[in-house]
Every structure is written in structure tokens, then in C-alpha cells.
Amino acid sequence: MVLNTNVPYGVALTRIACVALLLIISLLNAPLIVAQSDPNLVQLTESFTHPPGDSRIMVRWWWFGPAVTKSEIARELEEMKSAGIGGVEIATLYPLALDDSQSGFHNFAFLSDEHIDALRFAAEEAKKLGLRVDVTLGSGWPFGGPQIPVTQAAGAMRVENVEIPSGSKSIATPGIATGEHLDAVFLASGSREVPGLRDAKQIQHPMIENGRLQISAERSEFRVAVFFISSRTGMTVKRPAIGAEGFVLDHYDQTAIEAHLHAVGDRLMEAFGDHPPYAVFSDSLEDYGSDWTPDLLKEFQQRRGYDLSPHLPALIGDAGPDTAAIRHDWGKTLTELANDYYMKPLHAWATQHHTLLRSQTYGFPPVSLSSNQYEDLPEGEGKATLLMWRQFSDTRWAASAGHLFGKPVISSETWTWLHSPAFRATPLDMKAEADLHFLQGINQLVGHGWPYSPDTAGEPGWRMYAAGAFNSHNPWWFVMPDLTAYLQRISFALRQGKPANDVALLLPNDDAWASFTVNGHLSSAVTTQSGFNTRGRDVSIDESMGELLGNKVIPQVLDAGFNLDFIDGDAVDTIGIPYRVLILPGVDRLPFSTYQKIEQYALHGGIVIATRHLPSTAPGFLNAEAEGQQIQTISQRLFRSKNAPGHFVEDESQLGSTISTYLKPDVTFSPRAPDIGFIHRKLDVGDLYFIANTANRAIRVTARFRENAKYAESWDPFTGQVSVQANLGKSDLNLLPYESRLIFLTNHSIKVPRTIENSTANEDSHSRDIDLSSDWDLTFSGTNQTTHMATLHSWSEEEPFRYYSGKVTYKKVIELPADVKSRTSAVLDFGDGTLVPMPDPLSTFNLRAFLEGPVRDAAEVYVNGQRAGVVWHPPNTLDVSSLLRPGTNELSIIVGNTAINSLAGSAPPDYRLLNDRYRQRFIPQGMENLQPLPSGLLGSLRLRLIPRQ
């Protein structure tokens, strides 16, 4: 029977179905294991059950100071290994404590002999444990430091407007500092605040004497002098270690990255000897406001074919009808410079040192999607909102680049802002966000992160100022192996075969470049403590995409039953369009040669759909007039002519139905379920689908697949078990909150086991529930205190334990009838969770699972001294049939909460003296006004005894 309604979590029917399913699986354990005749399928499913180590998650391992010891390094690596973590990225940050000669605590300088020796030891220990090691090629972010002089520091155009008093023959020129030079001077009408740029005139050979610009009499009508000065942003490295302080490097200057690699990269490699790190890492390109470089005018002339100098006013305001074209050419030049003088040298250096380059290639400077071709391992980053997978995101940007340029392993920085503050996130929070990354094509998670923390830091230890803390100082850590096994199997599955996304969404890079504006008046803008200007953050392609794409296109594609990648014009030009559908989302500017390729794609059967309006403008100053008419002609042929091969959708709310008119959806869900996402991988032996419920409620749907194979398997990512299901081109799914499934469709023969219908649990009125919600003895492991709890409730409600964070053991003895072993199945049911109100709007920052479970926040169950399993996610049940016996049984449940309670009960660290010594390098976020959270077993715990048929 197929139910076509959404069922809220907590409805009795849903819980009965979940318990029944759990019992069915336990009853049919051996028969449900698939026996496959195809050796390729056998190997595939065996690898899924026991996936290779390289698909384990990694963590960003923060070394603060750096101040590390070899004993603590070894201990933490061993903890990672035992938790199912497969590797580390070592990132060195700011100090968290002052040197102490009495305790022996000591910060040492970045790249010092002590630092390199510690790195060498960490690499050797990790190798012994079979752990991967990556290293960040710097301290903090972006790249820079004391090795970068101001002449190689991040560049910016400084614009100064100087009023010309009436009758004046000269005015004082702005001061020019080291690292700066004057590029041009214009005279304009208007005022200092709003100069008239349309009639601005460049002074060809400005006469400057004794610091004053000479104004000729014939130019007395002008009221403002606009000075364009090649300058520096002044941005310094964010969150640097001791000895790593300094300017951020100029990403448009090859000598800057070469100086950095020589001073920092080469030195770091000394720690690895003949065994280089698996990869080196380029962290966030957050070079805010960097929109210029001293050689830009020369580079621009060579690349664009004309002199930018006379057109500089277009970069700061409306300078006439050519404004957008000039800005486009300038923005495109910045992208090319970043590629040629940062990405390519960086990748070449990594190759020369026999390591891979992993890079977060988005942000500032304005690197493009195609810039990711200059790295080995593209990496994205989540925006920590519920809608990240249904909006433009840097995660899908990286995944798309990997798919386009043949980079099969695509990582993402995960959990960066998850359920802030640090130590607040739970295992369910972590799964909920990870699934959003998987839905976008990620298959390698890099957890953000693991704070190195010495014993002297106490509990819960050190943490980064604005990120999650995912290490063994979390009291719920004992369930981490269960979570990492799930993540490892999904990562492995999503590396199989090839991506099968049908739709490519063309990113309007040319429109983004045309919208750029120069950073502006550095002297009058607000400057942060890191030294960078906050105005000019718009010189970024990916940061422009949210506005350019709008909020309808991506949901329309997903809800119609398709998945998508991004593509840009450079990729179209170099590799073509390897998708069934290409969408032009309100694109205005397109290069003529690119548009020709798109037209040919349509004429050869590709589906091209334009939305909102048709391309009508040739990008660039020199091409605008010559190619503009040609662009409009192609638009007419492609979309307006009789029997036009393309399709125009003015109303984007009709986009999904339009795609479905020309291509059968890959997967549809009935009833419609926007909260359910999927991603499809095409294998030689079949089709693999990852399906995830991103909502905090249960949803029942029928999934219908375009690939109608003879056989279907269900792969359980928690257990690694593979079972056969009936397949008639559809699958009835009852997805619990934040539940995910893997469904494999194949035409290769499978030896079908006996069916579920032949052996079912009798979930009827004869079932018995034993109430276990009273009379428990509790032992608090952190304090060795014991107490009796008459009725289960949060231990934080009791004053002695209000601020307790740690593990608590619940013990209880129960008596069972003589037939419990032979005639009944038994399931521990911890009860329903509590819905947490969803944020409004859904794009609100600070992602979490909007569901509080009946166990706060994880439990490990023992029955008669034997481990039964863990509970931390819906359905919050556990089959204990095989461990119970007639008569007396002892239940022991270890529960761990979060570290927030202990943080709420203690004063925050006092960083005053640390800041006096090293200047303030961070501000802890979200740590004020903390309150203790509910902890322990909260639900109406029951033992469900269900007769077997």
C-alpha cells in the first residue's frame, strides 16, 4: 500500500512502521543479504560494506600557537584513527595561551625548527596509523606573512577625490606611500562626494610640483580632481600563528606567490622528507577588496587590446554607455591574472614537489568556475543554511568543476558554522549537514574541525573562535565511529561510476564582470581590525551569482526531478557541453564564439532553455558593436524563429515543467516533496541513487526512476548491508527525519532471497510494551557521583548536575517472561523527538537539525554486559532480541550530552594578557549567555515485545 501524505514525525503510525521495519530486518538478517551472480556486483557491494580507507572523512587539525607536544600529537592521531577519521589537514593558527616556564608550556614560531620537527613527527605517526596528511601552505588565511613586502602585498585601486577651489591654480595631491604609485588623474565637474564622471577629462601628463597638481586656466570649469592610485588593501593574514604575521600576498603578481612558496612552502616540505604530504591546501581566497595590481594597465593592454587608462572613471561610477563593457574587460583581466599568476604557479609548485593541490577556488580575487582546472582536488564550503543545496553555493561550484574537469574526488569544508557555538553541534546535526553536501556532489568531507588541545587546557579544551569543535572532548564522542562509518560509505558510493546530472546551468560570468566596481576610497572606508576594507567585496564572480541567478532556477530544476551542475563560458569553449540540458538563466552577455557553440549544441539535439530574457549583448568594449548584432541574430535563430531548436521561458516558475516536456525526469516523488533530494551516479553495472530527507519530519513518497531496471537493491549506509527490493520502476519510501537511502538499480542478475512478506513481525494488539521510564540508577563518570532517578528526565534539571557535561551510566534490572527468547522480538524504543521551529527565512545562517531527540545527545546500550548498539538519530530504536533472556536482565545505557553545560557553568577564558602580548587575533563568537541544555534520557523509554509469526 502506498500512502500519499506527509506524516509528521511522532505520529504513531510512523513509529510502528519504523519498529516493524527494524524487526523485519533483524528477523531476516541472513536471507536479506544479497547473493549476486555478477562478480563486478559482488566486488562493488563488498567494497560498500567494507569501504576503502581513503573514503573516510578528514578533519582540519588546528595547531594553535603553534604549541604542540609529540605525546599529545600521537594521542590525538590515535583518537582520530579509532573514531573512523581517515586523515588530517594541519592548519596552524593564533596562540591560545601564554608561555609558562613553570608548567613548561611553550609557543614556538611558525616555521621554526621546533615547528618543523613537530610536523615531521606528526607525518611519521600518521603514516604508521595509515592516516592521510595534508598541510596548509601558510598560517591562517589568505596566504601571506612576513616574507611579503608591501610591494608584493594585495593590490587595490585607491581613488581620491580632491576638491578644486574656485580660481585655484594648484591643489595638494594625495600622499603616495611605499608600494603605491599614481596611475592617472582626471578632472571632473560635480562635487567631491559625487563627481561628474561622464564628462571627466584625463590629464595626460599631470604636472606635480612640491606635492601640488598644477591646474591650467582653461580647465577652470572643473571642480574635482580624481586621482587613481595603484595601492594596497593593507589586509594582513587572518588568525596567524606567532611569526606568521604580515601582509596578504598579491594574487595577481607571480613574484608574490613565488616568494611565498620559497619562504613557506619549501620550508614546510622539509618536514616530510622523501614522503611528501598527500596534498597541500590553499584555503579560502578571502582577499577582500583586491581589485588592482601595479602591472594591471600593462597586462590589460596586452590582453584586451586597448589602454584602460582613459576609461578608469567607469570603474567607480557611471561614465557613459560603455561603462559596463569597460568593467567587464577589467574584471575578466583580474580573473586571468589570478589564474596565470596564482593558480598555475601554485599547481606547478605542488607538482614539482610530488604532491597534489587541494584548493578552495572561489571568492576574492574573482576566480571562475573554470579556474578549478588548475588544481587536483577541488574543494567547496557550505554556507550553513538549510537551503544551501537549493541555492547557488560554493559546494556545488566545486562539485561541478570536479565533474567538468575530470576530478573524481571532490571535497568540502564541512560543519564550519554548524549549530554554533563550538561544542553545541550533535551527531544528528553533523549528519544533517553532511547530507546536504552529498546531495550537491561532494564525496570527501573535511570536518571543520579538530582543535588540538593539551591537558592543561582542561575540559572541553581549546576551540577555534568561530567554528565547530569535533574531537574527543565532546561527551557524545563514543558514537563518532557509527557516524563516520555512515559518512565513509556514502563517500565511497558517490565515487563510483560517473556523475549523471542532466542539467547544466550556465553561470553568467560576463554579466558578473560587467557589474564589478573598484574598491573605492580606502581612506574614507571602514577598516576592520584585520586591516582590509569592507567596501569592494563585490569583485567576486561566485559572490555575484546569487543575485544574477535569482532564487527560482535551481529549485525549479530540482523539483522537476533533475539534478544539475554549473558550467561557465570558458568550459563550454574548451570541453563543450556534456549534459542533456543547458539553461541560460537571464544571461545578457555572451561571447559570440561561445554562443555559436551553444547554437551548435542545440542543432545537434541538446536542449537549450533561456529564461527571463535572451542574450543580447556582446561582452567587452572592443566587441560590443561588432558582435552585438551577431549575438541578437543567434538569439533570434535559436529561440524566436520558426522551428527554433531552443526554448524561451520568460516566467521561471515554468522552467521545471518545460524541462520535463523535453526530457523524462530522472527521479520524481509523489506526492511532491521539495525537502527530499537525490543525486545519481551511473555505473557500468547499474545506477546508484543517494536519496535524503532534509526535513525534520517523516515524509512518505513513491519514488519513480527513469532507469527502469530489472532488479533493485537497498544499500544501508549504517550497517553496510545490501538487500533486494521489488522494482517496478518505483520505490515506496517512508523517510524518517534526516534519513537517507542508497538505491541501486541494475539489469545484472541477482539471486533473490525470500521476500519480506513471507516472514513478518506481527505488529498488532498482541504486542506488549514494558515501561522503562522509571527507577534508574545513574552514575556520573566525571564526578563518580550516583543518584536514583524515579522518573526519566533531564539531569540538568537537578541542581547538583545542572552544569554537568560528560557521560552518565543508567542502570536498571528488568524481569522478562520465559518465552521472551523464542517467541518474541524485542526493541528498545526511546520515544519521539521534539520538533524545533524552523527559522524564518529558511536561508537564516547557522544550520542545525531542527529536531531534538529523546536522547540528549547520544546513547550506547548494553544488555547483560553485551553491547547492543548506539542511538543518536531517528527512529531512536534498537533491536535487543538476541541479547535478552528469560528472567532477570540488566540494562546499562551510557549517555553523553554536549559540552555546553560545563561551558555555561564556568567563566569564559580571560584573553586580556594574551591579547596584550600578541594583539587581539580573534574574538570568541557565540559564547556569551550560554545556558545548560537538556541532557540524558528524556523520552518514555519502552521495551516493545512483539510476537513472531
Side-chain angles (χ1 to χ4, degrees):
M1 178 179 181
V2 179
L3 300 181
N4 59 0
T5 57
N6 290 349
V7 183
Y9 182 65
V11 173
L13 178 60
T14 300
R15 295 203 56 76
I16 292 173
C18 295
V19 173
L21 178 62
L22 182 66
L23 289 172
I24 289 166
I25 292 174
S26 67
L27 289 168
L28 301 180
N29 187 23
L32 278 176
I33 300 297
V34 173
Q36 298 156 321
S37 56
D38 189 306
N40 292 325
L41 280 180
V42 172
Q43 178 61 46
L44 177 65
T45 53
E46 286 180 354
S47 295
F48 171 73
T49 302
H50 305 288
D54 63 5
S55 55
R56 294 189 182 103
I57 74 165
M58 295 176 59
V59 290
R60 181 169 296 177
W61 192 13
W62 292 303
W63 287 12
F64 298 98
V68 294
T69 64
K70 292 181 179 180
S71 59
E72 181 63 23
I73 287 172
R75 188 189 70 81
E76 294 190 14
L77 286 171
E78 290 170 356
E79 285 185 337
M80 294 176 196
K81 176 73 173 182
S82 64
I85 293 169
V88 297
E89 168 211 311
I90 301 176
T92 311
L93 299 180
Y94 51 84
L96 278 175
L98 292 167
D99 291 0
D100 185 345
S101 58
Q102 292 185 348
S103 66
F105 180 85
H106 173 54
N107 290 291
F108 34 85
F110 182 67
L111 301 182
S112 64
D113 290 346
E114 292 169 293
H115 180 207
I116 297 301
D117 185 53
L119 280 174
R120 183 180 297 111
F121 177 80
E124 292 170 350
E125 289 299 300
K127 184 179 180 182
K128 293 176 185 177
L129 295 170
L131 299 178
R132 166 179 161 181
V133 174
D134 292 2
V135 64
T136 303
L137 279 179
S139 172
W141 67 94
F143 288 168
Q147 73 281 356
I148 300 299
V150 69
T151 53
Q152 292 178 342
M157 173 58 79
R158 173 182 158 209
V159 182
E160 296 284 356
N161 299 337
V162 179
E163 185 177 353
I164 304 175
S166 178
S168 296
K169 296 182 179 181
S170 67
I171 56 173
T173 61
I176 305 294
T178 303
E180 296 183 316
H181 67 255
L182 181 64
D183 271 340
V185 182
F186 287 76
L187 299 179
S189 60
S191 64
R192 180 178 181 273
E193 290 74 23
V194 185
L197 299 177
R198 281 179 169 249
D199 61 357
K201 303 297 182 182
Q202 183 180 11
I203 301 177
Q204 293 300 328
H205 302 287
M207 293 183 60
I208 300 175
E209 298 177 357
N210 299 319
R212 296 187 68 82
L213 174 68
Q214 304 303 305
I215 308 294
S216 60
E218 64 270 17
R219 299 193 173 185
S220 60
E221 75 274 16
F222 295 109
R223 294 289 176 261
V224 184
V226 183
F227 293 81
F228 288 86
I229 302 167
S230 176
S231 184
R232 308 291 168 172
T233 66
M235 183 180 181
T236 55
V237 175
K238 299 172 68 175
R239 325 304 172 203
I242 296 170
E245 308 87 348
F247 287 122
V248 169
L249 61 80
D250 185 347
H251 289 77
Y252 311 120
D253 180 354
Q254 185 166 343
T255 66
I257 185 60
E258 288 175 347
H260 179 83
L261 292 173
H262 176 70
V264 178
D266 291 351
R267 175 63 169 155
L268 286 171
M269 290 302 102
E270 292 179 18
F272 297 90
D274 295 332
H275 302 283
Y278 184 89
V280 291
F281 179 53
S282 172
D283 203 349
S284 301
L285 294 178
E286 298 177 14
D287 193 358
Y288 298 129
S290 184
D291 50 31
W292 203 258
T293 191
D295 288 338
L296 193 138
L297 291 177
K298 181 182 72 174
E299 292 280 354
F300 187 97
Q301 176 79 54
Q302 294 172 351
R303 295 166 186 268
R304 304 282 81 84
Y306 67 96
D307 184 8
L308 178 60
S309 298
H311 306 285
L312 286 173
L315 307 187
I316 63 172
D318 181 6
D322 296 325
T323 296
I326 300 298
R327 292 180 179 179
H328 167 276
D329 289 348
W330 162 62
K332 184 174 183 179
T333 301
L334 292 178
T335 299
E336 290 176 358
L337 293 176
N339 288 339
D340 291 343
Y341 297 150
Y342 177 76
M343 292 301 303
K344 290 180 181 179
L346 182 58
H347 186 238
W349 180 92
T351 302
Q352 292 166 4
H353 287 78
H354 309 290
T355 185
L356 302 177
L357 173 61
R358 180 165 60 89
S359 178
Q360 294 182 349
T361 308
Y362 44 84
F364 312 81
V367 286
S368 67
L369 178 72
S370 286
S371 300
N372 287 270
Q373 67 187 291
Y374 305 117
E375 71 217 7
D376 303 295
L377 302 168
E379 179 161 299
E381 180 177 358
K383 294 295 186 184
T385 72
L386 282 171
L387 297 179
M388 79 156 80
W389 68 288
R390 295 174 61 83
Q391 300 172 329
F392 176 85
S393 74
D394 295 328
T395 304
R396 193 181 294 275
W397 166 288
S400 302
H403 297 163
L404 283 165
F405 298 110
K407 318 289 185 181
V409 177
I410 308 157
S411 58
S412 65
E413 178 185 303
T414 316
W415 309 318
T416 305
W417 298 98
L418 179 64
H419 208 166
S420 294
F423 292 108
R424 176 62 184 89
T426 68
L428 183 59
D429 292 328
M430 297 169 71
K431 179 190 184 298
E433 181 180 336
D435 286 349
L436 302 185
H437 292 253
F438 291 141
L439 287 174
Q440 298 175 82
I442 297 301
N443 53 25
Q444 172 67 71
L445 301 182
V446 182
H448 189 282
W450 180 297
Y452 172 98
S453 188
D455 288 340
T456 55
E459 290 295 337
W462 285 350
R463 57 267 189 189
M464 194 192 179
Y465 76 103
F470 303 102
N471 59 13
S472 58
H473 292 271
N474 289 278
W476 49 258
W477 191 252
F478 53 84
V479 303
M480 190 64 175
D482 194 61
L483 172 60
T484 56
Y486 164 84
L487 300 174
Q488 181 183 4
R489 290 193 180 99
I490 299 296
S491 297
F492 166 80
L494 295 183
R495 296 182 189 183
Q496 305 312 299
K498 297 180 180 180
N501 293 344
D502 292 306
V503 178
L505 186 63
L506 182 68
L507 299 180
N509 289 359
D510 294 280
D511 290 335
W513 287 322
S515 70
F516 286 1
T517 57
V518 87
N519 188 31
H521 300 270
L522 292 177
S523 60
S524 61
V526 177
T527 302
T528 71
Q529 60 181 333
S530 295
F532 62 87
N533 179 268
T534 59
R535 297 176 54 185
R537 293 169 59 117
D538 53 348
V539 186
S540 169
I541 293 176
D542 70 299
E543 292 286 337
S544 303
M545 285 302 149
E547 180 177 350
L548 290 171
L549 297 179
N551 58 11
K552 293 182 180 179
V553 174
I554 295 176
Q556 278 288 311
V557 174
L558 297 176
D559 294 345
F562 303 96
N563 214 324
L564 73 147
D565 281 337
F566 302 138
I567 194 171
D568 65 11
D570 289 338
V572 171
D573 290 340
T574 56
I575 64 175
I577 308 169
Y579 299 88
R580 298 186 182 189
V581 181
L582 176 68
I583 298 174
L584 312 183
V587 175
D588 182 23
R589 293 167 181 80
L590 265 181
F592 176 59
S593 60
T594 304
Y595 210 5
Q596 284 181 308
K597 291 181 174 64
I598 292 173
E599 183 181 27
Q600 288 300 309
Y601 164 80
L603 291 172
H604 287 82
I607 302 169
V608 179
I609 302 174
T611 70
R612 283 180 269 163
H613 55 77
L614 300 179
S616 61
T617 305
F621 178 61
L622 297 183
N623 299 330
E625 185 174 348
E627 296 186 358
Q629 185 59 49
Q630 295 173 310
I631 295 294
Q632 296 174 26
T633 299
I634 293 180
S635 288
Q636 180 68 26
R637 289 199 306 261
L638 189 54
F639 298 104
R640 297 295 195 189
S641 64
K642 185 178 181 180
N643 300 320
H647 316 280
F648 176 58
V649 179
E650 185 173 7
D651 181 1
E652 287 181 339
S653 64
Q654 302 301 312
L655 175 60
S657 59
T658 301
I659 302 173
S660 299
T661 301
Y662 301 100
L663 181 65
K664 184 178 180 180
D666 194 358
V667 182
T668 58
F669 300 108
S670 178
R672 182 176 175 273
D675 292 316
I676 298 179
F678 77 93
I679 193 162
H680 176 192
R681 302 286 298 189
K682 187 74 175 178
L683 284 66
D684 291 339
V685 292
D687 293 87
L688 183 60
Y689 291 86
F690 172 72
I691 297 174
N693 178 9
T694 68
N696 64 348
R697 69 190 191 285
I699 303 178
R700 289 191 175 191
V701 295
T702 297
R704 289 180 169 82
F705 302 90
R706 182 170 62 207
E707 306 295 338
N708 190 11
K710 294 180 181 178
Y711 309 102
E713 297 174 348
S714 177
W715 296 8
D716 186 340
F718 278 105
T719 65
Q721 194 173 77
V722 176
S723 59
V724 170
Q725 64 178 35
N727 178 46
L728 299 176
K730 66 177 184 178
S731 180
D732 298 332
L733 302 176
N734 178 24
L735 294 172
L736 297 174
Y738 304 111
E739 185 181 2
S740 51
R741 304 270 182 90
L742 284 164
I743 295 177
F744 182 64
L745 309 179
T746 182
N747 288 317
H748 292 245
S749 62
I750 300 174
K751 295 179 182 179
V752 182
R754 59 192 171 98
T755 63
I756 289 176
E757 287 74 19
N758 291 334
S759 184
T760 61
N762 184 16
E763 186 68 29
D764 59 17
S765 57
H766 298 291
S767 301
R768 285 188 297 158
D769 287 355
I770 298 177
D771 184 7
L772 301 179
S773 61
S774 59
D775 295 324
W776 288 84
D777 292 320
L778 278 62
T779 300
F780 291 77
S781 60
T783 63
N784 288 323
Q785 291 178 277
T786 60
T787 188
H788 181 78
M789 187 172 283
T791 303
L792 290 177
H793 60 274
S794 170
W795 72 61
S796 63
E797 295 177 6
E798 300 189 15
E799 188 58 34
F801 311 113
R802 177 173 173 79
Y803 298 108
Y804 178 81
S805 289
K807 291 190 288 188
V808 176
T809 301
Y810 291 68
K811 286 191 175 182
K812 182 181 180 66
V813 174
I814 60 174
E815 297 291 331
L816 295 179
D819 62 352
V820 67
K821 191 77 173 179
S822 60
R823 301 185 58 184
T824 61
S825 295
V827 171
L828 275 177
D829 186 346
F830 287 79
D832 293 339
T834 302
L835 291 175
V836 176
M838 303 290 280
D840 186 19
L842 292 178
S843 58
T844 300
F845 203 66
N846 195 1
L847 179 64
R848 58 164 295 178
F850 290 88
L851 177 70
E852 299 289 12
V855 178
R856 299 292 299 275
D857 289 283
E860 186 173 31
V861 178
Y862 291 82
V863 177
N864 296 318
Q866 297 185 61
R867 187 177 185 272
V870 295
V871 176
W872 56 270
H873 61 86
N876 302 304
T877 57
L878 193 63
D879 178 34
V880 294
S881 304
S882 63
L883 301 179
L884 292 173
R885 59 197 179 203
T888 300
N889 290 265
E890 182 182 76
L891 299 182
S892 178
I893 303 175
I894 300 172
V895 180
N897 60 347
T898 72
I900 291 295
N901 291 22
S902 63
L903 289 171
S906 58
D910 184 356
Y911 296 119
R912 179 179 61 84
L913 295 178
L914 182 73
N915 293 336
D916 289 342
R917 173 64 180 84
Y918 296 113
R919 302 184 63 182
Q920 189 172 54
R921 304 190 183 203
F922 65 96
I923 300 176
Q925 296 183 10
M927 303 305 294
E928 62 279 353
N929 302 318
L930 293 178
Q931 299 296 322
L933 300 171
S935 302
L937 300 180
L938 310 183
S940 53
L941 180 59
R942 297 175 295 170
L943 179 65
R944 310 202 69 189
L945 301 178
I946 305 173
R948 295 171 177 162
Q949 284 189 338

